[in-house]
Amino acid sequence: MSTPINSRRTSVEKRPIDPIDPIAISSATSPSASLEWPRNWKAYAALVAGFFMMFNCWGMVNAYGAFLGHYDAHLLTKSTDLQLSLIGSTESFLLLSPSIFAGRLLDARRHYYLGFTGFLLLFLGYLLLSFTSHQGLKDQGNYGLVWLTSGLMAGLGMTCFFTYSSHNVIQWFPRKRYIAAGITSTGAGAGGIIYPLAFKFLVAKFGFPTGVRILSAVVAGTALIAFIFGAPCVDVPRRQVGRPLKASTWIDKQALRDRSYTVYVIAVALVYGGFYSVAFHVTEWAEVKGFGTEEDIPGGTGERPGNSGFRTFWFLTIMNGTSIVGRLASAVVATRWDNPIIVHAATCFLACIFAFFFWPFAPNNAAAIAFCAIFGVFGGSMLSLPASGVAYLIPNDRQSHVGQWTGMMWSGVSIFALVGPLIAAALKRKFGMDAIGYWTGATMLVTTILFVWSMYLKRKANEALDDGNETAAEKEGDTTPSTGSTCVGTLV
């Protein structure tokens, strides 16, 4: 006896929930999870925690231009541009490179171990930085100790927070993951505004040692908030770590075989190598071009020549401030289009144009401020989207590996985040300040092409998957007992 058409259709429509799809899991396990926004207060507490994690990792990296300006003008005047850039690029490298381990630990729900470690290393790193310069007078800084504390120790603390922040909110907000990740990433922009201003004010008022100690207290307080409220989402299955010495524990070979993911990782690496070359040197660029003036500090060297009374650190502050707009706007657009990579490609192309033409050829102070404001919007968009891009590219049957894939991406990106600013510093020394703009513009142009290529590969993979599903459905239909009607197979 043949199966009635309506009965067969019902059985097909009631497909089992994918046990590793976070959206399906949350819809099945919680009455409120099927809504656009979750009702569990822990989700919003995790959003606040993620904000402060980004505040203290990329916020501090974004603020390094202010530190670099102080080191160059006062504390470490005998150090070369390459040496000073190495401190900031070390922060970026260490923030990213251990993410392959952090992401896997997050999949195993070891959130609080990472959170406490990040809090401790960040606080100690900046507290000990205050003891590296005696009284903080001219050339009293010890380069090796500055690199060890703010570069190495603080950088390792940052990595504990970085992957944690985006991984956690994407799992708490499966239906609004791009917007949630965008809101979290605004912490980087906020930190990039507050920390340079606080550093300048505190050092000018109290001197470098006391000012940095007060700053370390701010780091400790905000990092403690992140540690307390960063609760993991229990709806997503836990993946036990397994044997720590086994490569497959940390590396998912399927990610390496996914061509769209591989191309995407290379593109993100170029983003970080190019953008931070501008961010690290923007205050120096403003001074060299005569757009701003380096302020004096207690025991300092006095103001340097400049055609404008506009202080140079405001250029970095403006860039970090407008990045918040880019982070939020790109999250909204990516959610509407359900494709963060196309937003990534568009902003990289626009950033390429601005870096090529405005950095070398900005004619006056107003044009320089406009460049920083607009480039900050593009930078905020570029830097906030990578984790969302991984969530977009990862196949449904690997959703429980999202932390691992994200961590693998950041570890791959870290190498270029380290060498990118160093290449820019070497180019600047040989060809002048304009070379940084050309370097950044070139990396953004290549990045745009790679993002478009990644989207193409993803579309081809989806088409192949759809064709395979249709073939499987046709074979299943061929084996179905005949009901005497030629329309039954098409109605299933």
Side-chain angles (χ1 to χ4, degrees):
M1 181 177 178
S2 61
T3 305
I5 294 175
N6 291 338
S7 174
R8 292 180 60 202
R9 181 183 298 171
T10 302
S11 65
V12 171
E13 289 175 351
K14 292 182 178 180
R15 294 188 298 265
I17 295 174
D18 187 342
I20 51 178
D21 183 345
I23 297 179
I25 289 168
S26 58
S27 299
T29 56
S30 172
S32 61
S34 60
L35 301 176
E36 290 293 304
W37 295 94
R39 292 180 179 176
N40 191 335
W41 68 271
K42 291 183 178 180
Y44 300 94
L47 199 62
V48 173
F51 174 90
F52 281 114
M53 288 177 191
M54 292 294 288
F55 185 86
N56 282 306
C57 56
W58 281 117
M60 268 299 187
V61 174
N62 290 338
Y64 179 68
F67 286 80
L68 186 149
H70 179 75
Y71 297 153
D72 183 41
H74 185 65
L75 204 63
L76 300 168
T77 61
K78 297 179 181 178
S79 299
T80 65
D81 289 337
L82 196 64
Q83 288 176 316
L84 296 178
S85 295
L86 181 61
I87 299 172
S89 60
T90 298
E91 288 181 350
S92 301
F93 174 75
L94 292 177
L95 190 158
L96 296 169
S97 59
S99 295
I100 191 171
F101 306 108
R104 185 63 186 86
L105 292 172
L106 289 168
D107 285 340
R109 215 176 293 164
R110 299 291 192 268
H111 295 66
Y112 289 119
Y113 295 103
L114 288 170
F116 180 75
T117 303
F119 156 74
L120 191 63
L121 288 176
L122 274 167
F123 170 57
L124 289 178
Y126 284 101
L127 178 64
L128 294 177
L129 175 64
S130 68
F131 295 99
T132 61
S133 60
H134 302 288
Q135 296 179 347
L137 301 179
K138 183 181 178 182
D139 284 330
Q140 286 191 341
N142 185 309
Y143 175 82
L145 293 178
V146 170
W147 177 86
L148 183 67
T149 54
S150 66
L152 178 63
M153 185 177 292
L156 289 173
M158 291 172 186
T159 194
C160 297
F161 276 172
F162 175 50
T163 307
Y164 187 169
S165 62
S166 58
H167 176 277
N168 214 26
V169 298
I170 284 174
Q171 292 190 335
W172 273 113
F173 296 85
R175 297 182 182 276
K176 293 289 185 180
R177 53 188 175 180
Y178 302 144
I179 291 180
I183 293 172
T184 297
S185 72
T186 60
I193 297 172
I194 293 172
Y195 279 133
L197 294 176
F199 175 77
K200 290 290 184 180
F201 171 78
L202 292 171
V203 171
K205 187 173 181 62
F206 302 106
F208 184 82
T210 303
V212 173
R213 283 173 203 142
I214 297 172
L215 196 69
S216 71
V218 176
V219 171
T222 51
L224 187 61
I225 292 173
F227 167 66
I228 292 173
F229 290 103
C233 179
V234 297
D235 289 343
V236 179
R238 176 187 297 183
R239 292 178 57 230
Q240 296 299 337
V241 173
R243 291 182 290 178
L245 298 180
K246 191 176 180 181
S248 59
T249 299
W250 311 105
I251 299 174
D252 188 351
K253 292 181 179 179
Q254 183 167 330
L256 302 178
R257 291 192 293 264
D258 191 310
R259 291 189 297 167
S260 63
Y261 170 82
T262 303
V263 172
Y264 184 76
V265 170
I266 297 172
V268 174
L270 288 171
V271 167
Y272 277 78
F275 175 81
Y276 279 102
S277 301
V278 167
F280 287 171
H281 292 91
V282 66
T283 56
E284 184 184 2
W285 167 76
E287 184 183 4
V288 168
K289 294 285 188 177
F291 302 139
T293 317
E294 181 73 22
E295 72 283 5
D296 195 13
I297 59 173
T301 56
E303 295 185 355
R304 298 182 181 183
N307 299 327
S308 169
F310 199 79
R311 301 303 187 187
T312 55
F313 77 89
W314 283 110
F315 289 91
L316 177 63
T317 303
I318 290 169
M319 184 177 292
N320 288 328
T322 57
S323 74
I324 296 176
V325 178
R327 294 170 190 274
L328 292 175
S330 62
V332 171
V333 175
T335 300
R336 182 175 295 274
W337 292 352
D338 195 29
N339 186 347
I341 303 180
I342 194 172
V343 183
H344 229 158
T347 53
C348 283
F349 180 70
L350 293 172
C352 162
I353 295 174
F354 271 78
F356 267 133
F357 294 102
F358 275 79
W359 182 275
F361 304 118
N364 51 44
N365 181 268
I369 294 173
F371 165 77
C372 291
I374 297 172
F375 197 79
V377 173
F378 297 149
S381 175
M382 292 186 293
L383 299 177
S384 67
L385 290 171
S388 299
V390 173
Y392 172 80
L393 290 173
I394 191 170
N396 285 336
D397 63 348
R398 309 299 286 182
Q399 287 291 338
S400 64
H401 296 244
V402 67
Q404 190 174 21
W405 282 44
T406 305
M408 290 170 61
M409 174 189 68
W410 292 129
S411 294
V413 168
S414 65
I415 298 172
F416 209 70
L418 174 66
V419 303
L422 300 182
I423 293 172
L427 291 172
K428 186 196 80 169
R429 183 173 59 184
K430 186 172 180 63
F431 301 106
M433 184 63 71
D434 291 349
I436 291 178
Y438 296 131
W439 162 255
T440 298
T443 57
M444 294 299 108
L445 179 60
V446 176
T447 295
T448 303
I449 297 170
L450 291 175
F451 279 136
V452 172
W453 188 16
S454 177
M455 284 190 293
Y456 170 77
L457 293 172
K458 177 63 176 177
R459 188 182 69 178
K460 297 296 289 184
N462 287 341
E463 290 175 354
L465 182 62
D466 291 341
D467 291 342
N469 291 337
E470 289 177 4
T471 302
E474 290 174 0
K475 290 182 178 179
E476 183 179 352
D478 291 341
T479 59
T480 303
S482 174
T483 61
S485 170
T486 59
C487 300
V488 173
T490 61
L491 293 173
V492 176

